[in-house]
Amino acid sequence: MPVEEFVAGWISGAVGLILGHPLDTVKVLGFFKGMSFPIGSVAVVNSVLFGTYSNSLLLLSSTSHQARKTQPPNYGHIFVAGSIAGFVQAYCLAPFDLIKVRLQNQTEPRARPGVAPSQYRGPLHCARTILREEGPQGLFRGAWALVLRDTPTLGLYFLTYEGLSWWLTSDSKEPGSATMLVAGGFAGIISWTTATPLDVVKARMQMDGLKQREYRGLLDCMVSSARQEGPGVFFKGLTLNSARAFPVNAVTFFSYEHLLRLLS
Ligand SMILES: CN(C)C(=N)NCCC[C@H](N)C(=O)O
């Protein structure tokens, strides 16, 4: 199994996250809060994402990453391989994403005189508190919403990247850096636009375990959110998601492709 895609995915994920974390935290609350933690986790999850995608595509279409640049694989294979990767990485991502959202939602990162201290002192304390108060399943709160959010949208993510790359590159040539940046950026925007409704539901399910449980499940969360706030509630954060998705994923694919060329 080629492992260079896992290594390139790991490093490119870290590079993309650093660029996008401030906007991601503004979407949830604050700025560079809680970035140290997702750097390690999102980089690993990105490694799982790109490594699983590339090896699934190799199994489905028997074309290696290098060969795919001269002969385009079947777009159906790309979508299925991307969806498989989306499903697998969502389970790896779930506990890390939950801790990130809980930390980002804290208004007071450090105790101040006269202000009630935040519930979590950091990622490890957050994980220990969730395990103690909500049990092991507490670390997977919102996991189903994450799986439903990422499985189809990551199929679309890789389909957009491969399709645009192929369309922007003249025959039998390797995609240039500008193509990687543009195709990666649009892959990010299109996938995050379609992911936003379930991204909203996921964040609500992840915060639900904090105090008294408000939702009886994923469907109840969707129905009561729409009933209380109108269908527009599912597009909260769309602008921020899209604004951060272009640069983050442009840089992610750019660094991934160039690292692969170095490593293989
Ligand atoms: C729509 N979704 C969930 C995605 N496109 N995920 C894959 C890209 C993740 C990238 N590190 C980012 O934060 O945008």
Side-chain angles (χ1 to χ4, degrees):
M1 173 197 288
V3 293
E4 59 269 16
E5 285 90 343
F6 287 95
V7 174
W10 187 83
I11 297 169
S12 60
V15 172
L17 180 106
I18 291 166
L19 197 64
H21 191 72
L23 278 174
D24 178 62
T25 311
V26 167
K27 177 184 73 172
V28 179
L29 267 183
F31 256 128
F32 277 98
K33 272 194 316 185
M35 186 173 88
S36 56
F37 174 68
I39 279 265
S41 51
V42 167
V44 169
V45 170
N46 209 64
S47 167
V48 169
L49 175 66
F50 279 81
T52 308
Y53 165 69
S54 203
N55 286 284
S56 302
L57 195 52
L58 184 61
L59 283 175
L60 285 167
S61 61
S62 317
T63 52
S64 70
H65 184 86
Q66 290 317 323
R68 288 201 292 272
K69 295 307 166 194
T70 49
Q71 57 189 68
N74 172 299
Y75 286 127
H77 288 160
I78 291 172
F79 183 78
V80 169
S83 298
I84 292 168
F87 179 86
V88 171
Q89 64 90 47
Y91 264 106
C92 304
L93 177 63
F96 298 120
D97 192 60
L98 171 74
I99 291 167
K100 176 182 77 91
V101 167
R102 292 277 178 97
L103 292 176
Q104 286 174 324
N105 269 285
Q106 293 198 135
T107 50
E108 291 299 329
R110 287 167 189 71
R112 288 189 302 150
V115 177
S118 298
Q119 178 164 9
Y120 306 121
R121 293 193 300 274
L124 289 179
H125 178 250
C126 178
R128 281 201 305 271
T129 308
I130 291 171
L131 277 170
R132 187 178 65 248
E133 296 178 356
E134 303 171 51
Q137 75 281 2
L139 279 177
F140 288 88
R141 197 167 307 288
W144 269 118
L146 198 60
V147 167
L148 290 175
R149 182 196 79 175
D150 287 5
T151 301
T153 56
L154 283 163
L156 196 54
Y157 179 69
F158 285 106
L159 188 61
T160 305
Y161 178 73
E162 301 285 8
L164 266 181
S165 284
W166 181 250
W167 187 62
L168 293 171
T169 305
S170 46
D171 291 346
S172 74
K173 281 206 173 155
E174 292 268 309
S177 296
T179 297
M180 297 168 191
L181 290 166
V182 169
F186 279 104
I189 284 191
I190 289 170
S191 59
W192 273 107
T193 298
T194 50
T196 294
L198 274 167
D199 189 49
V200 169
V201 172
K202 177 222 29 125
R204 289 175 177 222
M205 295 295 289
Q206 288 171 327
M207 293 308 294
D208 189 32
L210 208 52
K211 301 178 181 75
Q212 76 293 346
R213 296 294 301 275
E214 183 181 348
Y215 305 116
R216 290 192 307 277
L218 188 59
L219 197 58
D220 180 51
C221 175
M222 295 170 84
V223 170
S224 56
S225 297
R227 190 177 291 141
Q228 290 163 22
E229 301 168 66
V233 69
F234 297 118
F235 293 94
K236 272 187 178 175
L238 175 62
T239 310
L240 271 176
N241 271 348
S242 305
R244 71 170 285 284
F246 191 95
V248 167
N249 293 283
V251 164
T252 298
F253 275 103
F254 174 85
S255 40
Y256 172 73
E257 291 281 11
H258 282 293
L259 281 161
L260 267 191
R261 287 180 188 175
L262 283 177
L263 294 168
S264 44

